[in-house]
Amino acid sequence: MRKKWGVSMSVAMCAMILVAGCSKDTGTSTDNMGKEEKTANMNATGFPIVKEPIKLTMMAGQAPTTNPNWNTVRIFNEYEKTTNMDIEWQMVPTAGLVEKFNLVMASRDYPDAFHTAKLTASDLIKHGSEGSFIKLNDLIDKYAPNFKKLLDQNPALKKGITMPDGNIYSFPTYYDPNFTYLLVSSPLWLNKTWLDKLGMAPPDTTEKFYQYLKAVKTTDLNGNGKNDEVPYAGIKADNLINHLKGAWGLTNRGRTHAYVDVEPQSGKLRFVPTDPNYKEMMEFIHKLYKEGLISKDIFTVPANEFYAKGTEGIYGSSIVTSMETLMKQTNYIGAPALKGPHGDQIFSFIGSSLASPGAFVITDKNKYPAETVRWIDYFYSEEGNKQFFMGWKGETYEELQNGDLQYTKNVTNSPDGKTLEQVISQYLTWPGGSYPGIVKQKTFKAAVPSMIEATETVKPYLPKEVWPAFIYTLEENARMNQLHADIDVYVKEMQAKFIVGGVTDWDKYVEQFKKMGLDEYLKIYNAAYERYKKN
């Protein structure tokens, strides 16, 4: 059905009516400072959220795998009946979401809320401090018991969404910290068939990994009489570099902070690309490349060509999300974290549980902020989480005797050949990601078992602390963007040179960072880090 937004009284009008002695109130007033009134039309708990229907507009990012029109999707049509809140969905393809967002914000022709918005911390502090996004601190305390419980149980989450001014302006996408698969994403895959033929156990040190790659190169493991086995294959070298960092004790606060971590001895921030261990790691990768253990086209191969070649089963190892789903290979297993030459064994290629800080925001155009907070809070509850990801018991999912959930056969085995996501998008809106809510293993069924098993292998080696992205003030952010852009280009340029030609002119390389403003970069980084610790 077609949905439309309605507009209730503004703060000024509410005040005028109250002065005039009006006894009936139909909305929630706010001064955008966290102060709000509960109105006669709103139920503080339970459903429906409001007694008389209200209308809101929400703009949402539309991934290619999701339904193009959420006005027709069952979950929100059913939820409208439950809540008495009618949402008009304005869909924007994710490819143009940033441009559209900036356009509507500049014109001030924006909706009551942004959903599946992919907003950055910079977006939140900018538009929050200007007053376009409302402050949610008090509203969460009063009307979001499920999300408040999540914040109380996960202090790092609260730190990650609290802006430098002390305010929270958004509801995030949050991954259950115990669901390792989502945090790891891309394991180091090893060809189990070839390991068995070689009589080797999965390598758990950098030296054993090197020996495995050498054996793959020198043995006709696929038995075709050709020297076509590829010891390690990938698209660019980023994944291999980031995966090996933990073997040298680097990036010990997770992959969100690829260039900065904590130096173990001093406890101070460390710039990873100039650390002596980083130099040693790059020399190791150069050795692999020089000896032909890394695919020579790693810097140039197109993704489609890389995946197509992988279907031939000629890769000894690779770092991707899934060999099974991407290349139809079922004989690969996940490697444990590799122990390096100095005894370091950290799986640092892991992301933060705070996947996206700005998945849902409420704007100052919204006349029903408390009601809207109650509307979104449901999806952070156990019941709402199950509804959002699984749908309806007996129709789209069934519960097994052990308590596990699984989609019904009409979802997983479509008679007309549709994929799971194509079928489920008729009912639900999770395909494509970036939604406000929490992702749990029990209700997230997009991962195949081999992916979950591979990521469980590295669980004993995860960092003790994984940082979310730090939050900068507006002034810091502007300068940090300039500094990071130049530093990032130089790091990646030199990584390629080191891999192909070896690590030379190290002192000159280190000095160049100082000329690019590394001291200022780390000063700003440290200011954000101190705020994060104190938040």
Side-chain angles (χ1 to χ4, degrees):
M1 68 181 66
R2 186 66 181 163
K3 302 178 183 291
K4 300 179 180 178
W5 273 91
V7 179
S8 67
M9 294 178 290
S10 67
V11 176
M13 287 186 67
C14 287
M16 291 168 61
I17 293 172
L18 288 171
V19 169
C22 179
S23 61
K24 185 176 181 180
D25 203 351
T26 58
T28 298
S29 65
T30 178
D31 60 4
N32 199 19
M33 294 296 289
K35 179 182 177 183
E36 72 292 323
E37 292 181 41
K38 176 183 173 297
T39 64
N41 189 44
M42 177 181 150
N43 295 312
T45 60
F47 291 117
I49 292 174
V50 291
K51 299 165 188 175
E52 296 297 325
I54 61 173
K55 296 182 179 182
L56 298 171
T57 52
M58 294 188 188
M59 183 177 289
Q62 176 209 330
T65 51
T66 194
N67 194 301
N69 183 8
W70 290 3
N71 294 302
T72 65
V73 179
R74 181 175 174 183
I75 186 168
F76 289 130
N77 284 335
E78 292 283 343
Y79 195 44
E80 177 188 333
K81 298 173 185 176
T82 302
T83 61
N84 241 356
M85 294 173 66
D86 181 7
I87 311 301
E88 178 191 336
W89 292 99
Q90 302 170 354
M91 308 304 298
V92 180
T94 51
L97 185 59
V98 172
E99 181 181 359
K100 181 66 174 179
F101 170 77
N102 290 332
L103 180 64
V104 298
M105 294 307 296
S107 66
R108 295 197 57 80
D109 184 23
Y110 46 80
D112 297 294
F114 290 92
H115 190 291
T116 312
K118 293 188 175 183
L119 298 177
T120 66
S122 299
D123 295 324
L124 299 175
I125 187 61
K126 179 180 187 297
H127 297 291
S129 62
E130 292 173 351
S132 299
F133 295 164
I134 70 168
K135 301 171 185 178
L136 300 172
N137 305 49
D138 291 344
L139 288 163
I140 290 170
D141 285 342
K142 293 183 179 180
Y143 302 116
N146 299 302
F147 186 62
K148 187 176 187 301
K149 180 180 178 182
L150 189 65
L151 292 179
D152 292 341
Q153 293 175 341
N154 300 276
L157 169 60
K158 188 171 185 178
K159 291 180 180 181
I161 63 171
T162 301
M163 297 298 109
D165 61 6
N167 292 307
I168 295 174
Y169 296 104
S170 64
F171 288 83
T173 305
Y174 188 66
Y175 294 162
D176 183 348
N178 297 313
F179 193 6
T180 313
Y181 156 73
L182 284 173
L183 305 178
V184 170
S185 182
S186 297
L188 170 59
W189 294 98
L190 304 169
N191 191 315
K192 179 65 165 58
T193 304
W194 292 359
L195 281 169
D196 292 342
K197 284 185 178 182
L198 293 166
M200 296 177 116
D204 57 1
T205 70
T206 52
E207 177 59 27
K208 290 178 182 178
F209 181 55
Y210 169 68
Q211 294 299 334
Y212 168 67
L213 298 182
K214 282 182 64 177
V216 171
K217 181 174 176 60
T218 57
T219 310
D220 183 17
L221 290 166
N222 60 9
N224 65 355
K226 301 177 182 178
N227 186 23
D228 58 354
E229 291 85 354
V230 182
Y232 175 83
I235 305 172
K236 300 183 179 179
D238 294 11
N239 279 353
L240 181 60
I241 293 169
N242 290 325
H243 205 285
L244 288 174
K245 283 178 181 175
W248 273 268
L250 302 170
T251 320
N252 53 37
R253 294 300 186 270
R255 68 170 179 239
T256 303
H257 297 262
Y259 298 156
V260 177
D261 67 357
V262 173
E263 203 282 321
Q265 282 70 42
S266 68
K268 296 180 179 179
L269 295 187
R270 167 178 62 179
F271 187 63
V272 170
T274 57
D275 190 82
N277 279 5
Y278 179 87
K279 176 184 178 183
E280 194 173 306
M281 179 194 70
M282 294 307 300
E283 289 171 338
F284 174 77
I285 300 174
H286 168 64
K287 181 174 75 168
L288 301 184
Y289 186 83
K290 184 179 179 181
E291 296 184 18
L293 307 182
I294 297 175
S295 52
K296 292 297 182 183
D297 63 354
I298 193 168
F299 297 106
T300 59
V301 62
N304 59 342
E305 185 178 321
F306 165 75
Y307 294 130
K309 200 171 183 180
T311 62
E312 300 172 16
I314 60 172
Y315 296 160
S317 63
S318 189
I319 300 172
V320 294
T321 53
S322 170
M323 300 295 290
E324 184 174 347
T325 60
L326 294 171
M327 305 179 214
K328 300 181 180 179
Q329 299 297 302
T330 58
N331 60 320
Y332 285 78
I333 59 171
L338 302 178
K339 181 184 290 186
H342 307 298
D344 298 293
Q345 192 173 17
I346 305 170
F347 190 88
S348 59
F349 193 38
I350 179 171
S352 165
S353 292
L354 179 54
S356 174
F360 185 88
V361 297
I362 302 172
T363 74
D364 61 343
K365 299 289 184 72
N366 193 316
K367 305 305 178 183
Y368 307 99
E371 292 88 337
T372 306
V373 166
R374 285 210 58 214
W375 185 93
I376 192 62
D377 181 62
Y378 172 71
F379 296 104
Y380 290 91
S381 69
E382 291 289 336
E383 179 185 345
N385 180 265
K386 185 189 294 186
Q387 177 88 88
F388 186 77
F389 286 102
M390 302 302 298
W392 296 266
K393 188 175 181 179
E395 295 184 62
T396 57
Y397 80 91
E398 56 191 6
E399 189 167 344
L400 306 181
Q401 288 185 345
N402 63 1
D404 288 346
L405 308 177
Q406 67 178 22
Y407 288 122
T408 53
K409 290 183 179 179
N410 65 300
V411 172
T412 57
N413 297 311
S414 172
D416 50 5
K418 290 182 178 178
T419 65
L420 183 147
E421 289 185 338
Q422 287 173 331
V423 174
I424 212 69
S425 64
Q426 301 172 62
Y427 305 95
L428 308 171
T429 60
W430 63 256
S434 301
Y435 34 71
I438 180 169
V439 187
K440 303 179 180 182
Q441 185 165 347
K442 184 174 183 179
T443 52
F444 185 77
K445 302 300 178 181
V448 296
S450 62
M451 298 163 72
I452 295 176
E453 291 169 10
T455 54
E456 286 295 307
T457 303
V458 303
K459 201 168 186 177
Y461 312 104
L462 300 181
K464 293 180 180 180
E465 181 182 3
V466 178
W467 287 337
F470 291 160
I471 300 169
Y472 304 98
T473 65
L474 288 175
E475 295 77 13
E476 289 173 344
N477 189 69
R479 184 60 180 146
M480 196 58 149
N481 284 341
Q482 296 171 346
L483 292 168
H484 183 79
D486 292 339
I487 287 173
D488 184 56
V489 169
Y490 185 60
V491 169
K492 291 178 179 176
E493 174 188 318
M494 294 308 295
Q495 283 176 345
K497 288 185 178 180
F498 288 158
I499 291 171
V500 175
V503 181
T504 58
D505 297 323
W506 179 258
D507 292 340
K508 182 179 178 181
Y509 159 80
V510 172
E511 184 62 29
Q512 182 61 29
F513 283 109
K514 294 182 180 180
K515 294 178 181 178
M516 299 173 75
L518 179 59
D519 289 343
E520 184 183 2
Y521 178 87
L522 288 175
K523 183 179 179 181
I524 297 172
Y525 221 110
N526 193 68
Y529 175 49
E530 290 300 321
R531 280 195 299 271
Y532 169 78
K533 289 193 295 182
K534 294 177 182 178
N535 225 339

